[in-house]
Amino acid sequence: MKEAEVRRLLAANLLCVFSIILSAVVPASFWDGFTVFGTHLTWLCICSVCVSTLNIILHLVLKPNLSPKRSSFAHKISRFLKCCIYFFMSCILFHAIIVLYGAPLIESVTETFLFAVLLSTFTTLQCLCMLGPNIQAWIRVFSKNGATSIWESSLQITTMCSILGAWFGAFPIPLDWDRPWQVWPISCSLGATFGYMAGLIIAPLWIHWNRKQLTYKSR
């Protein structure tokens, strides 16, 4: 394992963390009344767009899982359309799962769907950028000892941290504290965001500390 590759991963992850911070700070500088709590749905959209855009750019620049095979333009268009369909299906699936876990079915549909989009941005979009619309590759990566590179190990960690963060974020909602951040889905989306940011920082550090034990095999 090359130290330069770990440093590249750390730099890319820190850029993603920085983009989330900017999504909360920059709009407030020129938009009166903008706050993460007060205009939460707007922030969800801005954060999702910022993280998505940066992840796509980083994938195109760093090319962590570049295939040696050259593909035609038609194949690239087909792959892009499949990725869009998979991402939309992920949003619908997350929306359904969130409702099954107790979110309002009819009320707050917009809030629930935008939260699902945020979760898809933190999880599914990364899989699409790294592995493409290949379900078998996704299953391989998230199986035991399935990662074949530090980028895939980072994908595992950030995805799990995002979902766990969203789950832990639901705990304060039923409490009678009457705080503004207890309104659906603020605590869950913040939990997912903090979980994602924690995963981005933890992943390269964990890989660096365990670099002697990690052995990746091509599959």
Side-chain angles (χ1 to χ4, degrees):
M1 184 188 304
K2 297 180 180 178
E3 285 294 324
E5 194 72 7
V6 178
R7 287 195 292 268
R8 283 209 310 166
L9 174 64
L10 176 61
N13 287 5
L14 289 178
L15 281 175
C16 290
V17 172
F18 191 56
S19 71
I20 295 174
I21 296 173
L22 288 180
S23 71
V25 174
V26 173
S29 62
F30 59 85
W31 186 341
D32 291 337
F34 177 88
T35 61
V36 173
F37 294 159
T39 53
H40 190 67
L41 297 187
T42 304
W43 176 77
L44 284 177
C45 296
I46 295 173
C47 183
S48 297
V49 170
C50 290
V51 174
S52 300
T53 304
L54 182 60
N55 269 299
I56 293 171
I57 292 173
L58 288 174
H59 173 71
L60 293 174
V61 173
L62 298 176
K63 300 178 181 178
N65 273 19
L66 182 64
S67 173
K69 298 180 181 178
R70 288 190 176 184
S71 55
S72 63
F73 180 73
H75 176 75
K76 292 178 179 178
I77 293 297
S78 174
R79 181 185 174 93
F80 173 76
L81 292 176
K82 283 183 180 179
C83 288
C84 293
I85 293 171
Y86 277 38
F87 183 80
F88 180 72
M89 290 173 60
S90 170
C91 296
I92 298 297
L93 180 61
F94 270 123
H95 186 106
I97 293 172
I98 293 166
V99 170
L100 290 175
Y101 267 87
L105 177 61
I106 305 230
E107 298 177 355
S108 307
V109 174
T110 303
E111 289 85 346
T112 303
F113 184 74
L114 288 178
F115 174 44
V117 171
L118 185 75
L119 274 178
S120 296
T121 302
F122 291 158
T123 58
T124 308
L125 181 71
Q126 291 192 98
C127 293
L128 291 170
C129 288
M130 189 82 61
L131 307 170
N134 186 346
I135 299 298
Q136 290 182 345
W138 296 16
I139 295 173
R140 171 186 60 77
V141 168
F142 289 99
S143 61
K144 185 178 180 180
N145 300 322
T148 60
S149 68
I150 63 172
W151 300 92
E152 292 182 358
S153 294
S154 177
L155 176 63
Q156 291 175 334
I157 294 170
T158 54
T159 299
M160 289 187 292
C161 287
S162 300
I163 295 174
L164 286 175
W167 186 65
F168 281 117
F171 280 81
I173 292 179
L175 302 178
D176 57 349
W177 295 344
D178 293 328
R179 295 290 187 268
W181 48 266
Q182 287 180 277
V183 177
W184 173 255
I186 294 178
S187 63
C188 288
S189 57
L190 290 179
T193 303
F194 287 132
Y196 177 63
M197 294 171 69
L200 289 171
I201 296 172
I202 291 170
L205 297 178
W206 182 85
I207 291 169
H208 177 74
W209 288 330
N210 295 276
R211 62 189 183 280
K212 292 182 180 180
Q213 289 78 28
L214 293 174
T215 56
Y216 296 111
K217 298 179 180 179
S218 300
R219 303 189 184 187

